[in-house]
Amino acid sequence: MEVEDANPEAKYGDPRKFDPTFKGPIHNRGCTDILCCILFVLALLGYFAVGILAWSHGDPRKVIYPTDSSGQFCGQVGTPLQNKTLLFYFNILKCASPLTLLEFQCPTTQICVEECPNKFLTLVSALKNNEMNYYQNKLVSGIQMLHAVIKLIYSTVSRRCLPNLGTKPGGVIVVGENSTTFTDDSGQTRNASDLLEATKLSNIAVEARQVAMRIFEDYTQSWHWILLGLFIAMVISLIFIVLLRYLAGIMVWVMMIMVILVIGYGIFHCYMQYAHLKGTPGGNVTLRDLGLQTDFSIYLQIQQTWLAFIIILSIVEVVIIILLIFLRKRILIAIALIKEASRAIGHVMSSLFYPLLTFALLALVIAYWAVTAVFLSTSNEQIYKVFNTTQCNYSMEVCNPKTFQNSSIIEVCPDAECRFAFYGGETSYHKYLILLQFYNLFLFFWCVNFVTALGQVTLAGAFASYYWAFKKPDDIPAFPICSSLGRALRYHTGSLAFGSLILAIVQIIRVILEYLDQKLKGAQNKCARFLLSCLKCCFWCLEKCIKFINRNAYIMVAIYGKNFCTSARDAFFLLMRNILRVAVLDKVTDFLLFLGKLLIVGIVGICSFFFFSGRIQKISNDINLNYYWVPILTIVIGSYLIAHGFFSVYAMCVDTLFLCFLEDVERNDGSSERPYLMSESLLGILNKKNEGSK
């Protein structure tokens, strides 16, 4: 045991005192953070209530099929719209609103038509040239409500009347007779490019459906090959974990040597560039003389830049070598813990399959959130209001177009009309629809973090029971994963909900900041943009810190059964008392697992590319795909998720054993009353041994 890490007067709290009753993950424990558990249950009940409300009001068919402003589907058989299969937007410019993505509807009047217009006119030009009859015949009566640019053409893919846009040389967007501008209903001159974004958003759901159908066809052709590729990724992941048990030391030192050699090659390359520029005209210009240049390639043409690179890389090289010399003992501890983690996983093999449960729960949470979001987005109704040109007490009141002509409003206001106003609703549900979407997103973050936390505390409890078993594997529980999962759900649901809530709050703040950033992109206030960027960076860092603290807090919860705040404090002080060991182990483990993921994804991805792109002609000629990248991308992402699933278990095992190791070092001294519970390899590295052992 190293003296500096066990100093009773250490800055970050006192080391653990010996407790003869402590035997690792205790079974006699009580419930923790009950208040947060109750809050989480109530939030889930509210979440289910929001889902029921959304499903009772929404209609996801609006995402796929065109509907008019009365909520009727264009071309629906057995209705007056049977022959009117196309959708026409009165003001397609409003489709560029962000509400289009949120509500899956353009906030403008929409009607079903049999044929799209093929003549370029705006409301202003139609009234000016007395050509309203054309559109009255083509579309509907009452065309005076038209506020749109209506040079349109029918798209057989989308069943919508969309602007017929073209391009001039140089990528300039034009509409109509090669016109780059037009006049809208307010008399303002608009660019034809303004129509492009509106067209994309109005048709985004339908285009996505067409692409989805082609992708589905590709999956039906290649699903068995995809499963084979994912199975190969799983086998390679298992082989890599087994190899770590025997080759961890070699792999770590090889990585260190490779880093040193790469930096050395960088120094050599920089020196060669420096020597090459020595006799080049202008190569001896100083950075001070050159000043600030927007073209950074200019800096690579002077000697001082490469000299600075040489100095920086040399310093980095020397620092790494010094760290390897003085931290070699801690690197050996890291290697021993990595090997011990492989042995622990070998005795708790069920831990490798626990990510399947986590994946299933996450898929359930994601599916519920997505379905609820779609139903909420499609639950807006068409709102009609009274419009008139003379004084009227009913002006701008909500009306029903079906009964408006027979209402008393016509008698009081003869020139009044019941027109479409917007998508929304007058009920409390519709007024607070944005808040319900926000609540849906917040509960999504909370539930995802809770499922992740449940997996972490379950694995930590299982691996802690392995470490604190005096006789391994005889003293390990029969079903460590099941017993640990039961303890977590029975006693620590509140603690998991507490940690997940803190992280969810930070994540929802980051979403709000991203939304504000999108809104301010066109703003001229540089100070506000800079402040917002700083806030985004700070909350990104805060999220990473909270994830690190939560992870170690859950390990302490699994071991001691205390509440979240106490566990987080104990874990933080324990890590701070051993900060050098933490830094070394964290970086060594992360780098090893990163190389493992890179190796697995690289091998499987390259093989799948050669197979599905037709490079292997004898096998892949029989596969006809719309997009050959669909199975490749699926296999690559699936391989990464499989590798991440296996390696997340491995990383959790290493972190758990590391905290248990630090506890063991502080609690015990190797005597017969207080024996070390660590492995013989760790005892050998620390030059320690238990009394009575050889």
Side-chain angles (χ1 to χ4, degrees):
M1 183 171 63
E2 297 178 53
V3 178
E4 72 271 18
D5 289 337
N7 182 8
E9 298 180 357
K11 179 179 179 181
Y12 296 102
D14 295 332
R16 296 288 184 186
K17 304 301 182 182
F18 174 68
D19 181 6
T21 63
F22 178 74
K23 301 296 181 183
I26 55 177
H27 299 279
N28 185 20
R29 58 178 69 194
C31 297
T32 57
D33 298 305
I34 300 176
L35 184 61
C36 198
C37 179
I38 296 174
L39 179 62
F40 184 59
V41 172
L42 293 177
L44 286 179
L45 292 176
Y47 199 20
F48 295 144
V50 170
I52 293 172
L53 275 175
W55 299 338
S56 62
H57 288 81
D59 188 351
R61 292 180 299 173
K62 294 180 181 178
V63 179
I64 302 174
Y65 302 107
T67 57
D68 64 9
S69 296
S70 300
Q72 303 178 84
F73 294 99
C74 298
Q76 187 173 6
V77 179
T79 67
L81 302 179
Q82 180 174 347
N83 297 324
K84 298 181 178 182
T85 59
L86 311 177
L87 187 67
F88 177 82
Y89 299 97
F90 271 26
N91 190 355
I92 199 169
L93 289 173
K94 290 188 177 181
C95 294
S97 169
L99 293 175
T100 302
L101 292 177
L102 186 62
E103 301 175 0
F104 294 103
Q105 287 282 0
C106 292
T108 183
T109 304
Q110 303 172 30
I111 60 174
C112 299
V113 296
E114 295 183 14
E115 182 183 354
C116 290
N118 54 16
K119 191 173 183 179
F120 176 73
L121 280 179
T122 64
L123 176 63
V124 174
S125 58
L127 293 173
K128 182 178 179 181
N129 300 326
N130 296 322
E131 297 192 58
M132 293 300 297
N133 291 333
Y134 171 79
Y135 286 102
Q136 288 175 344
N137 295 330
K138 278 279 184 181
L139 303 175
V140 293
S141 60
I143 201 65
Q144 61 269 22
M145 292 161 46
L146 182 62
H147 299 290
V149 175
I150 46 183
K151 162 62 170 111
L152 303 157
I153 188 169
Y154 168 51
S155 172
T156 57
V157 176
S158 64
R159 293 173 58 187
R160 285 155 168 84
C161 297
L162 302 176
N164 183 22
L165 301 174
T167 56
K168 283 184 176 181
V172 179
I173 298 175
V174 295
V175 64
E177 301 297 331
N178 292 327
S179 177
T180 58
T181 61
F182 61 90
T183 304
D184 63 12
D185 62 310
S186 62
Q188 293 183 343
T189 301
R190 305 287 295 270
N191 291 324
S193 58
D194 294 342
L195 288 170
L196 184 60
E197 189 65 24
T199 302
K200 289 180 179 179
L201 290 177
S202 67
N203 202 32
I204 187 171
V206 179
E207 291 180 352
R209 178 175 177 264
Q210 298 298 323
V211 173
M213 291 299 295
R214 296 189 185 99
I215 291 176
F216 179 76
E217 292 176 0
D218 291 341
Y219 279 131
T220 59
Q221 293 286 329
S222 59
W223 64 270
H224 48 288
W225 296 109
I226 293 175
L227 291 179
L228 179 61
L230 297 180
F231 177 76
I232 294 173
M234 183 181 69
V235 172
I236 298 175
S237 299
L238 289 171
I239 293 174
F240 189 86
I241 290 177
V242 173
L243 289 177
L244 284 177
R245 181 172 181 175
Y246 302 100
L247 303 176
I250 297 175
M251 294 172 69
V252 169
W253 290 114
V254 167
M255 285 191 309
M256 299 300 179
I257 294 173
M258 286 177 60
V259 170
I260 293 174
L261 291 177
V262 168
I263 296 176
Y265 174 77
I267 295 173
F268 173 76
H269 177 74
C270 292
Y271 175 77
M272 295 299 294
Q273 292 292 330
Y274 175 80
H276 174 70
L277 292 172
K278 193 171 184 180
T280 304
N284 57 352
V285 176
T286 64
L287 293 172
R288 184 175 182 179
D289 296 334
L290 189 61
L292 183 62
Q293 301 291 329
T294 56
D295 186 3
F296 290 98
S297 62
I298 297 176
Y299 293 104
L300 300 178
Q301 300 174 12
I302 61 175
Q303 284 183 291
Q304 276 196 356
T305 301
W306 295 103
L307 180 61
F309 288 159
I310 293 172
I311 295 172
I312 294 171
L313 290 176
S314 299
I315 293 174
V316 172
E317 183 93 326
V318 172
V319 169
I320 291 177
I321 293 174
I322 292 174
L323 288 176
L324 288 178
I325 294 173
F326 286 95
L327 297 179
R328 63 189 185 280
K329 193 171 185 179
R330 290 182 172 86
I331 294 175
L332 292 175
I333 294 174
I335 294 172
L337 281 171
I338 291 172
K339 292 181 178 180
E340 189 70 10
S342 297
R343 283 191 286 269
I345 291 175
H347 292 299
V348 191
M349 285 297 295
S350 57
S351 61
L352 290 176
F353 301 98
Y354 184 84
L356 295 177
L357 176 60
T358 300
F359 176 79
L361 292 176
L362 288 177
L364 181 63
V365 171
I366 293 171
Y368 183 86
W369 163 77
V371 171
T372 303
V374 170
F375 273 90
L376 285 172
S377 300
T378 57
S379 58
N380 276 328
E381 298 175 350
Q382 296 77 19
I383 303 300
Y384 294 84
K385 290 193 175 184
V386 177
F387 290 85
N388 62 289
T389 56
T390 60
Q391 183 67 26
C392 181
N393 294 331
Y394 295 99
S395 179
M396 299 307 295
E397 288 191 4
V398 177
C399 59
N400 187 343
K402 296 181 180 179
T403 61
F404 182 74
Q405 295 298 328
N406 299 324
S407 65
S408 59
I409 300 177
I410 293 294
E411 299 177 0
V412 179
C413 309
D415 63 336
E417 295 179 350
C418 186
R419 300 180 185 175
F420 171 81
F422 55 86
Y423 283 98
E426 297 297 324
T427 65
S428 299
Y429 168 77
H430 290 95
K431 289 179 180 178
Y432 296 102
L433 199 56
I434 295 295
L435 293 180
L436 294 179
Q437 284 280 23
F438 179 84
Y439 185 77
N440 181 36
L441 182 62
F442 177 72
L443 262 294
F444 167 72
F445 285 136
W446 196 355
C447 292
V448 166
N449 293 328
F450 180 85
V451 170
T452 304
L454 179 62
Q456 291 175 344
V457 78
T458 300
L459 293 172
F463 293 129
S465 64
Y466 164 84
Y467 184 94
W468 295 109
F470 187 73
K471 295 181 180 179
K472 302 177 180 64
D474 298 336
D475 294 341
I476 303 175
F479 302 100
I481 289 291
C482 294
S483 59
S484 180
L485 178 61
R487 284 197 305 269
L489 291 174
R490 182 177 180 181
Y491 298 110
H492 306 305
T493 301
S495 297
L496 302 182
F498 191 6
S500 304
L501 175 62
I502 297 173
L503 188 56
I505 292 173
V506 175
Q507 290 172 334
I508 203 69
I509 292 175
R510 289 192 62 199
V511 170
I512 294 173
L513 291 175
E514 288 291 342
Y515 173 76
L516 293 176
D517 187 41
Q518 293 295 323
K519 296 289 286 184
L520 292 175
K521 272 190 174 179
Q524 301 297 324
N525 193 333
K526 302 293 184 181
C527 182
R529 294 290 306 280
F530 174 76
L531 180 61
L532 192 60
S533 298
C534 292
L535 286 174
K536 288 169 59 178
C537 180
C538 290
F539 275 95
W540 180 85
C541 295
L542 180 61
E543 181 181 352
K544 297 298 180 184
C545 292
I546 290 176
K547 284 183 177 180
F548 177 78
I549 294 173
N550 282 8
R551 183 182 180 88
N552 292 284
Y554 296 144
I555 296 174
M556 300 300 280
V557 167
I559 298 175
Y560 291 101
K562 297 181 180 180
N563 61 50
F564 177 81
C565 292
T566 303
S567 300
R569 181 199 62 195
D570 293 343
F572 178 78
F573 286 151
L574 180 62
L575 294 174
M576 289 300 102
R577 290 195 296 268
N578 300 271
I579 188 63
L580 289 179
R581 285 174 176 169
V582 173
V584 172
L585 179 73
D586 186 59
K587 296 308 174 186
V588 169
T589 306
D590 286 349
F591 196 46
L592 263 180
L593 298 184
F594 170 75
L595 287 181
K597 293 178 185 178
L598 194 64
L599 178 66
I600 294 167
V601 173
I603 292 175
V604 178
I606 292 173
C607 293
S608 62
F609 171 77
F610 278 100
F611 180 79
F612 289 107
S613 61
R615 265 66 172 183
I616 308 177
Q617 298 180 355
K618 293 183 179 179
I619 302 177
S620 54
N621 279 343
D622 297 333
I623 304 176
N624 297 317
L625 302 174
N626 296 303
Y627 311 111
Y628 74 87
W629 51 264
V630 168
I632 296 175
L633 196 60
T634 303
I635 291 176
V636 168
I637 295 175
S639 300
Y640 176 80
L641 293 176
I642 290 173
H644 179 74
F646 282 113
F647 292 166
S648 64
V649 173
Y650 195 89
M652 197 67 200
C653 183
V654 172
D655 290 345
T656 303
L657 296 183
F658 180 57
L659 283 182
C660 293
F661 162 75
L662 298 179
E663 290 279 328
D664 195 9
V665 169
E666 292 189 351
R667 284 180 175 277
N668 304 312
D669 58 6
S671 62
S672 56
E673 296 82 10
R674 299 163 57 183
Y676 292 116
L677 297 178
M678 67 186 72
S679 64
E680 293 296 329
S681 59
L682 283 171
L683 285 173
I685 293 173
L686 297 176
N687 295 322
K688 300 291 181 181
K689 63 179 181 178
N690 290 320
E691 289 185 5
S693 62
K694 297 182 180 180

